[in-house]
Amino acid sequence: MGDVSIFLQHLTNGISLGSLYALIAIGYTMVYGILRLINFAHGDIFMLGVYLTFYGVIYTPLPWWLVFILAPLLTGFIGILLEKVAYKPLRGSARITILISAIGASFLLQNLGIVIFGGRPRAFPVPQLLNHVIKLGGVSINVVTFIIPAVSILLLIGLTYFTTKTKTGLAMRALSKDYETASLMGIDINRIISITFFMGSFLAAIGGILWGSRYPQLMPLMGAMPGLKSFIAAVVGGIGNITGAVIGGFILGLGEIMLVAFLPRLSGYRDAFAFVLLIIILLVKPSGLMGNKVTEKV
Amino acid sequence: MREKSKTHVTLIILVLTILGLFLANRYLDAYKIRIINLSGIYVTLGLSMNLINGMTGMFSLGHAGFMAIGAYTVGILTMPVSMKQMNFFMQPIVPFLANVEWGFLPALLAAGLIAALFGVLIGAPVLRLTDDYLAIATLGFAEIIRVVFTNTQSLTNGALGLKGIPNYTNTWWSWGVALVTMWFISFLMKGTYGKAFLAIREDEVAARAMGINLFKHKVMSFSFGCFFAGVAGGLMAALLGTIDPNMFRITLTFNILLIVVLGGLGKIGGTVIAAVVVTVMMEALRFLDESIDLGLVQIKGIPGMRMVVFSIILIFVVIVREKGFLKRTKGRELTYVKN
Amino acid sequence: MLKIENLDMRFGGVVACNNFNGEIGNGQIVGLIGPNGAGKTTIFNVVTGVYKPTAGRILFSPNGSEQHQLTGLSPDRIAKLGVCRTFQNIRLFGELSVLENVFIGNHLRVKSDVFSTVLRLPHYVTEEKRLYEKSLYLLEKIGLQDTRDEKASSLPYGMQRRLEIARALATDPKLLLLDEPAAGMNPQETKELIQFIREIKQEFGLTIFLIEHHMDVIMEISEKIYVLDHGVLIAEGNPSEIQRNERVVEAYLGVG
């Protein structure tokens, strides 16, 4: 019995971490789908989302739930701004060039974070509602562990509805399938790209809030590792593919938690797990689990 | 005629460098000498990354990892036996390394060779990937190396790092290696192998159609780059005397990338100048991060401001250059999966 | 020289080439024509190893005695065996100089190892000198010796096409594949091109396989012509046979 309950505890932890990776990974995958660009700064957008929430809750009289909605929206607009400043001027340039700009943007946000928010860690104000432990059988689990996957699933349903049923969503998919044709068909590319960045950043900020509720320590560099890992999740699932990003997120989250739980000797290597997985996937199936093979035109 | 005048220019530069170093050693204080040393090391780093990223057109972000390999190699090999015992108090060092104490030159060569070996081992599987995938995979490897070094207590002393590495690096070493790197890379790029690297950068499909074995040449270029990154890491270890895994984070790679971008992808002279300028600026702009006491007024520094400035410079340079004279339209090609 | 047997090439559900058979004899000039999207370039891509065919095989015998199976080999191996090409959408090394472009074509025949190139050992310096002379000779051949130090991408279109041919010649091919060499050329230039192709064929002992839309070029120069339509071979024969062939006329006029 004890073994089962411990396993269940790890499983819920894994699912919860996996949903967080999935939420961030979606932003990577959507942007990559359209622009073929690794938005290196995405992890730092996630960090901004957490800090905005932190300041909103602590320094404004607004109720926490309103801040939890407003901060992601604001983060979404920062995402749009990021694209306009760092990526749009380079549209059509060699990919290395854009990638360098993306890395620059990532460092800029991280260090702006240090300048504005200070380098010292802060404690995330977790609302009481999310932060109490319940006992289920022999397992004691923090409510937030359940809320994370629940919120993620709701957002995913919303996102799926958006990309399959709305006109904008369809345009987005058309653009990621065939950029040239779609741009000839009168789709307003700039608008779609802005919306993509908005949504990706919005989801990352929600992921950030949930992350903060789960691991309530804030640092300006906190986005780097989750960002990289979520990107890996997107690649594992097949970049450009939203379902793939979610699957990849869960594989990564569960894998990490289970590695630490069942091979404690290797727990120091936790951060290496994602990268090892990435390299294996790239070698075995570079297009990812759900991705399509793309053949180069000559 | 052209060849001859070029040789003259090279000789003049060489003599001026030697003279400059001689004068510097005589008249400058330790702090300035340190900056000169760092500049030399960054010249080597910038050139080695430019060989991979600028001249061969691969996009590697693994430099910090290869530097770490080089730094630890030199650290472990040159450290006196007694010092090793003091360092490894948590867990003794593995027996086969406990009693070695090499000279600096063999240790540096070993640093380069081991880094190059890892370059081949890592490059062989991942260099098939293009642009962004390669970037993320090499970044991943650098992270893995860092995580491994943090965990292999009996080999690297884990998170504690190594202290008391003999300070062999002086201006002759740092700039001597920089000159050797300059010479190696410019001669390499002059010959047919270097031209083949350029061809790969320009157009992989056409390069293969001209009989260039992509894999072989990419691994070659990559391992040369790793060799010099390893040597530079070794120089860095012997300059600082203290190393730990956290020194070799992606920030370090970012600094080198900045040098490469400022100096110009594929440009040797530009990289050398950019390496010196960036190193000096990194020091000169330190006031942005730290408080300075000017007697009457105190200027309060803001931590992180320096890197903000550098990030903005990087983005700005990339955008201006792209808008200016580097016009290429390969942006939207779907080149990330090879059949 | 080259024998293509039952070649199939599919991309997902799209059939780019269906059961193609063809043969090119030593020293021949063979044309490949067809409307846009007929699958001509696909055949070139399969022969040069850019794509691996779905089915079928390609046999290459550079001198009659030895025979190589090209299917499954990488493009660089195929180039080493003596098959080189130009590209329909010009793929020069744009940022490099005209001379460098041709010089790079020599690389696959270089015998020195990389360290002797860095140390500039005497045997390499001699080899390099010879290769530069050869490259300059090829540039002279195409009339580009005066632009040797210019950036390849800065050349006018027609010159770029000629430069691609010179670059391919530097690899010492036995079989040269030309993908629309006359595209974008005026009648005068086209005339010179025909002359030029004949010349290099003679001088370097080449066999030539070419795709072309200019019918006058194809009809004048080819000994044999294959006609493709929608990935299917619809006719083969000498120029006069092809000109009389009804299916070819239909395919080109879009009837049926």
Side-chain angles (χ1 to χ4, degrees):
Chain A
M1 225 10 230
D3 285 351
V4 175
S5 66
I6 287 173
F7 178 75
L8 283 179
Q9 189 140 15
H10 291 316
L11 189 68
T12 43
N13 281 338
I15 289 176
S16 147
L17 182 61
S19 338
L20 292 174
Y21 285 149
L23 281 181
I24 312 171
I26 289 171
Y28 277 111
T29 236
M30 283 169 65
V31 167
Y32 195 93
I34 293 181
L35 288 177
R36 300 284 178 271
L37 155 76
I38 300 178
N39 179 11
F40 257 99
H42 191 60
D44 308 298
I45 290 279
F46 156 92
M47 174 274 292
L48 280 183
V50 190
Y51 268 97
L52 286 176
T53 315
F54 168 83
Y55 281 99
V57 172
I58 305 270
Y59 294 106
T60 65
L62 302 172
W64 65 266
W65 54 268
L66 190 59
V67 175
F68 277 27
I69 297 169
L70 288 178
L73 288 174
L74 192 58
T75 314
F77 286 110
I78 296 176
I80 296 181
L81 191 69
L82 166 75
E83 193 271 329
K84 294 258 185 272
V85 173
Y87 305 145
K88 197 177 167 203
L90 296 172
R91 220 176 276 167
S93 310
R95 283 164 76 176
I96 281 192
T97 317
I98 313 179
L99 211 53
I100 293 172
S101 185
I103 294 170
S106 164
F107 267 76
L108 179 61
L109 291 180
Q110 283 177 14
N111 289 289
L112 269 181
I114 296 177
V115 168
I116 299 170
F117 309 134
R120 267 183 304 127
R122 309 267 193 141
F124 189 77
V126 188
Q128 205 54 52
L129 185 70
L130 302 180
N131 193 21
H132 59 269
V133 177
I134 51 167
K135 281 201 186 281
L136 275 177
V139 197
S140 49
I141 294 172
N142 198 321
V143 189
V144 76
T145 323
F146 290 111
I147 292 177
I148 290 172
V151 173
S152 310
I153 288 167
L154 280 179
L155 287 170
L156 280 178
I157 293 172
L159 185 67
T160 314
Y161 176 83
F162 174 79
T163 51
T164 51
K165 293 285 182 313
T166 66
K167 218 174 145 193
T168 313
L170 288 173
M172 206 179 266
R173 286 189 0 189
L175 208 53
S176 71
K177 267 231 165 60
D178 189 339
Y179 191 90
E180 267 78 35
T181 315
S183 53
L184 291 176
M185 305 265 280
I187 291 178
D188 182 352
I189 293 180
N190 288 326
R191 201 181 124 251
I192 299 293
I193 289 176
S194 289
I195 293 175
T196 308
F197 270 86
F198 178 85
M199 294 183 59
S201 309
F202 177 82
L203 292 175
I206 302 258
I209 292 172
L210 297 172
W211 186 285
S213 311
R214 183 90 178 73
Y215 313 98
Q217 197 190 37
L218 273 62
M219 279 180 298
L221 301 184
M222 68 182 287
M225 240 330 145
L228 272 176
K229 287 183 184 168
S230 304
F231 173 73
I232 292 171
V235 174
V236 168
I239 196 140
N241 182 312
I242 292 178
T243 323
V246 175
I247 293 174
F250 280 114
I251 292 178
L252 209 58
L254 281 167
E256 258 184 33
I257 297 282
M258 295 300 172
L259 178 81
V260 176
F262 294 104
L263 297 167
R265 260 166 44 87
L266 293 180
S267 59
Y269 292 94
R270 179 179 167 167
D271 282 346
F273 171 76
F275 292 104
V276 173
L277 182 68
L278 169 80
I279 286 153
I280 294 173
I281 278 283
L282 286 180
L283 297 180
V284 177
K285 197 169 185 301
S287 50
L289 296 174
M290 308 280 291
N292 295 320
K293 196 172 163 171
V294 179
T295 317
E296 186 180 3
K297 282 180 207 149
V298 175
Chain B
M1 257 325 271
R2 269 176 44 196
E3 284 287 301
K4 268 225 172 101
S5 68
K6 255 190 181 168
T7 329
H8 285 312
V9 172
T10 317
L11 273 176
I12 292 169
I13 291 175
L14 198 66
V15 170
L16 283 180
T17 314
I18 292 171
L19 195 69
L21 290 179
F22 184 75
L23 292 174
N25 279 320
R26 247 186 117 159
Y27 296 109
L28 295 181
D29 58 49
Y31 174 67
K32 295 201 178 88
I33 292 290
R34 187 188 151 97
I35 296 177
I36 292 175
N37 275 315
L38 278 176
S39 305
I41 295 173
Y42 271 107
V43 166
T44 304
L45 288 169
L47 287 174
S48 62
M49 185 190 262
N50 213 336
L51 173 64
I52 300 172
N53 293 22
M55 295 163 201
T56 321
M58 301 182 280
F59 198 46
S60 163
L61 293 178
H63 245 56
F66 296 106
M67 281 178 74
I69 292 174
Y72 271 93
T73 307
V74 165
I76 293 168
L77 289 180
T78 62
M79 193 186 279
V81 176
S82 57
M83 203 63 191
K84 274 184 193 139
Q85 282 162 356
M86 279 168 66
N87 263 293
F88 287 80
F89 61 85
M90 297 269 288
Q91 223 182 77
I93 189 168
V94 282
F96 75 95
L97 288 172
N99 290 311
V100 292
E101 193 180 328
W102 288 21
F104 194 39
L105 184 63
L108 271 186
L109 286 175
L113 289 175
I114 294 176
L117 177 70
F118 272 86
V120 173
L121 290 177
I122 289 169
V126 301
L127 290 178
R128 284 186 302 157
L129 309 167
T130 48
D131 299 353
D132 20 16
Y133 281 81
L134 179 62
I136 211 85
T138 45
L139 180 67
F141 266 117
E143 277 298 304
I144 291 174
I145 287 171
R146 200 173 60 78
V147 171
V148 168
F149 279 13
T150 315
N151 284 282
T152 45
Q153 196 73 37
S154 58
L155 185 67
T156 61
N157 206 24
L160 295 169
L162 298 175
K163 292 180 190 68
I165 301 165
N167 290 107
Y168 284 121
T169 302
N170 55 28
T171 50
W172 302 111
W173 278 110
S174 58
W175 277 90
V177 169
L179 286 174
V180 169
T181 315
M182 272 184 247
W183 162 78
F184 184 94
I185 293 182
S186 29
F187 275 46
L188 174 69
M189 296 318 287
K190 203 173 148 192
T192 68
Y193 287 86
K195 301 279 186 232
F197 295 166
L198 293 172
I200 291 172
R201 175 191 79 187
E202 291 295 310
D203 191 326
E204 290 196 354
V205 173
R208 295 185 89 185
M210 294 308 120
I212 294 168
N213 182 332
L214 282 193
F215 178 74
K216 179 179 144 194
H217 287 82
K218 281 183 170 182
V219 171
M220 203 186 267
S221 159
F222 191 67
S223 53
F224 287 158
C226 292
F227 177 87
F228 288 110
V231 172
L235 287 170
M236 193 79 103
L239 176 69
L240 304 176
T242 308
I243 51 173
D244 69 74
N246 279 334
M247 272 174 58
F248 302 98
R249 286 183 174 278
I250 190 203
T251 319
L252 190 56
T253 307
F254 174 83
N255 292 343
I256 308 168
L257 185 66
L258 181 69
I259 290 169
V260 171
V261 172
L262 282 179
L265 287 168
K267 304 233 156 50
I268 294 176
T271 308
V272 175
I273 296 168
V276 177
V277 170
V278 168
T279 315
V280 171
M281 261 169 59
M282 286 272 180
E283 292 301 323
L285 292 181
R286 222 168 248 291
F287 73 89
L288 290 174
D289 276 19
E290 292 159 6
S291 313
I292 322 174
D293 199 351
L294 294 175
L296 292 173
V297 263
Q298 263 208 347
I299 301 172
K300 241 185 123 192
I302 308 164
M305 205 57 186
R306 203 162 47 122
M307 287 313 285
V308 168
V309 172
F310 281 111
S311 319
I312 293 174
I313 293 176
L314 181 74
I315 300 176
F316 184 76
V317 168
V318 167
I319 292 176
V320 167
R321 201 164 274 165
E322 197 64 17
K323 292 275 148 194
F325 47 84
L326 257 179
K327 279 268 171 284
R328 283 209 219 154
T329 47
K330 298 207 287 194
R332 279 289 309 181
E333 274 177 60
L334 299 176
T335 51
Y336 61 92
V337 180
K338 285 281 144 73
N339 45 318
Chain C
M1 176 71 63
L2 189 78
K3 205 167 169 187
I4 304 174
E5 292 174 353
N6 310 321
L7 189 74
D8 264 3
M9 186 72 225
R10 284 161 220 272
F11 299 99
V14 184
V15 183
C17 171
N18 191 359
N19 199 23
F20 180 82
N21 284 285
E23 199 173 347
I24 301 171
N26 274 1
Q28 274 189 324
I29 297 183
V30 174
L32 180 60
I33 60 171
N36 280 325
K40 307 182 294 288
T41 298
T42 303
I43 290 184
F44 269 31
N45 282 338
V46 174
V47 171
T48 53
V50 176
Y51 299 143
K52 221 176 125 182
T54 322
R57 51 182 210 155
I58 299 163
L59 298 168
F60 174 62
S61 46
N63 51 21
S65 60
E66 43 182 326
Q67 197 175 50
H68 304 275
Q69 164 85 267
L70 295 189
T71 28
L73 294 188
S74 63
D76 47 285
R77 288 282 308 281
I78 293 175
K80 276 211 173 97
L81 289 175
V83 181
C84 204
R85 71 178 291 183
T86 65
F87 295 89
Q88 183 186 357
N89 48 345
I90 304 181
R91 280 176 171 267
L92 287 168
F93 308 123
E95 295 287 307
L96 307 184
S97 76
V98 168
L99 179 58
E100 278 174 318
N101 266 274
V102 181
F103 185 67
I104 286 166
N106 292 307
H107 180 62
L108 79 171
R109 307 284 173 219
V110 166
K111 293 198 180 61
S112 310
D113 64 288
V114 63
F115 294 104
S116 15
T117 73
V118 174
L119 296 168
R120 301 198 73 72
L121 297 179
H123 71 89
Y124 171 70
V125 175
T126 321
E127 188 178 18
E128 191 188 78
K129 195 163 167 248
R130 185 175 58 77
L131 296 179
Y132 268 117
E133 274 161 12
K134 178 180 153 199
S135 309
L136 284 171
Y137 174 74
L138 288 172
L139 280 185
E140 228 167 275
K141 198 97 209 124
I142 58 169
L144 285 182
Q145 66 274 33
D146 296 333
T147 59
R148 50 178 270 187
D149 294 321
E150 273 171 47
K151 228 164 72 169
S153 59
S154 70
L155 291 185
Y157 192 73
M159 286 192 185
Q160 291 197 16
R161 288 225 170 270
R162 276 188 280 162
L163 181 55
E164 265 212 332
I165 297 179
R167 183 180 68 175
L169 287 176
T171 66
D172 299 334
K174 297 275 183 292
L175 172 66
L176 182 62
L177 282 69
L178 302 173
D179 199 342
E180 297 197 28
M185 287 188 178
N186 63 35
Q188 180 55 37
E189 287 172 321
T190 311
K191 231 183 210 162
E192 286 168 15
L193 181 80
I194 293 174
Q195 188 52 38
F196 174 66
I197 292 177
R198 285 201 172 122
E199 244 177 77
I200 56 170
K201 174 182 177 284
Q202 201 63 39
E203 182 173 347
F204 300 98
L206 297 172
T207 302
I208 292 172
F209 192 19
L210 93 161
I211 295 176
E212 193 42 76
H213 274 301
H214 284 60
M215 279 309 133
D216 39 343
V217 177
I218 280 281
M219 293 304 164
E220 191 178 333
I221 210 171
S222 318
E223 291 156 47
K224 182 158 75 172
I225 298 170
Y226 290 100
V227 189
L228 275 184
D229 189 23
H230 293 102
V232 183
L233 181 69
I234 56 169
E236 61 173 289
N238 63 37
S240 54
E241 285 165 1
I242 294 296
Q243 273 165 331
R244 288 192 307 262
N245 188 305
E246 276 174 32
R247 285 190 68 187
V248 176
V249 177
E250 268 174 29
Y252 269 90
L253 296 176
V255 189

